[in-house]
Amino acid sequence: MKLPIVAYGDPVLKKVCAPIDETYPDLKQLISNMYQTMYNAHGIGLAAPQIGLPIRLFIVDTGVDEEEKEGFKSAFINAEILEETGEPWAFNEGCLSIPDIREDVMRKPNIRIRYYDENWDLQEKELNGILARVIQHEYDHIEGKLFTETLSLLRKRMLKSKLDAISKGNVRVDYKMRFPQQNRRR
């Protein structure tokens, strides 16, 4: 089932999310629904707060790369970034909850992360490059942070009217969204 994606301005996007355990109701179905929602919106990552759930869960699927090599696909449950290393580098990021806004964000290129996968197997991995960046972006969501918070004060001021418009539903998207400043979905 495709779920509506919560738009910028919704308080759930600012909450530090709670851990879950193996008894979380219908977890496998939730993960499946999250993948369907993410694919429908043409994303490569989606965090539970983006569908209105303040829990420590996000998914990533980088698909196939330019050399036709298989990408990385996993659910991350109760993830914890243990280490971020390397010289920070800029890359243009966007977010399904903040459509039509893309900005350069500085992140370190290497991470070490511990998490449970969808089968509740404990994983600890060292990842780098774009994959590490995607994971850092989604991890920020479960920590109650948005990529727009990393921007300079001047850049935030310049984007304020666009962000306000998004929260009011004044944006065109080809996927379902829930807007905090209106009662209807689109």
Side-chain angles (χ1 to χ4, degrees):
M1 174 181 10
K2 296 172 199 157
L3 306 166
I5 294 175
V6 172
Y8 175 87
D10 192 300
V12 74
L13 296 174
K14 302 295 290 162
K15 288 184 178 177
V16 175
C17 295
I20 60 173
D21 62 27
E22 292 178 69
T23 64
Y24 191 84
D26 301 317
L27 183 60
K28 290 225 184 250
Q29 185 61 52
L30 172 60
I31 291 170
S32 173
N33 291 345
M34 287 177 68
Y35 277 115
Q36 287 179 44
T37 301
M38 180 183 73
Y39 296 145
N40 181 64
H42 308 291
I44 57 173
L46 184 69
Q50 292 181 274
I51 57 164
L53 298 174
I55 59 172
R56 296 188 75 78
L57 166 65
F58 64 88
I59 58 169
V60 168
D61 185 351
T62 60
V64 177
D65 69 14
E66 54 278 343
E67 297 170 5
E68 297 299 313
K69 292 182 186 164
E70 189 67 27
F72 182 91
K73 178 180 177 179
S74 184
F76 291 74
I77 302 167
N78 300 336
E80 179 184 5
I81 291 182
L82 305 172
E83 186 176 28
E84 295 174 305
T85 59
E87 192 64 37
W89 60 293
F91 189 82
N92 199 256
E93 293 186 20
C95 180
L96 297 176
S97 291
I98 311 173
D100 296 339
I101 294 180
R102 298 191 63 82
E103 293 290 329
D104 285 346
V105 176
M106 299 293 289
R107 296 193 190 272
K108 292 185 178 181
N110 309 304
I111 63 168
R112 188 165 54 92
I113 188 167
R114 181 183 308 134
Y115 64 97
Y116 290 94
D117 65 19
E118 55 271 20
N119 299 313
W120 283 97
D121 293 327
L122 185 61
Q123 304 286 329
E124 188 169 316
K125 295 189 184 292
E126 291 186 19
L127 303 163
N128 56 48
I130 296 293
L131 176 57
R133 177 173 291 276
V134 172
I135 291 168
Q136 288 166 315
H137 177 105
E138 299 309 325
Y139 184 83
D140 280 355
H141 275 298
I142 65 172
E143 290 292 315
K145 299 175 192 165
L146 298 170
F147 82 91
T148 52
E149 293 172 39
T150 69
L151 305 176
S152 71
L153 192 56
L154 175 62
R155 192 66 193 136
K156 285 182 205 175
R157 282 188 190 143
M158 292 172 68
L159 291 173
K160 185 176 181 343
S161 64
K162 283 185 177 182
L163 292 169
D164 289 345
I166 290 168
S167 68
K168 293 174 184 169
N170 298 328
V171 64
R172 287 190 176 278
V173 292
D174 61 355
Y175 50 90
K176 291 191 290 185
M177 289 195 78
R178 189 178 83 206
F179 300 96
Q181 294 188 26
Q182 57 175 217
N183 293 329
R184 59 187 176 90
R185 293 178 181 152
R186 279 202 283 174

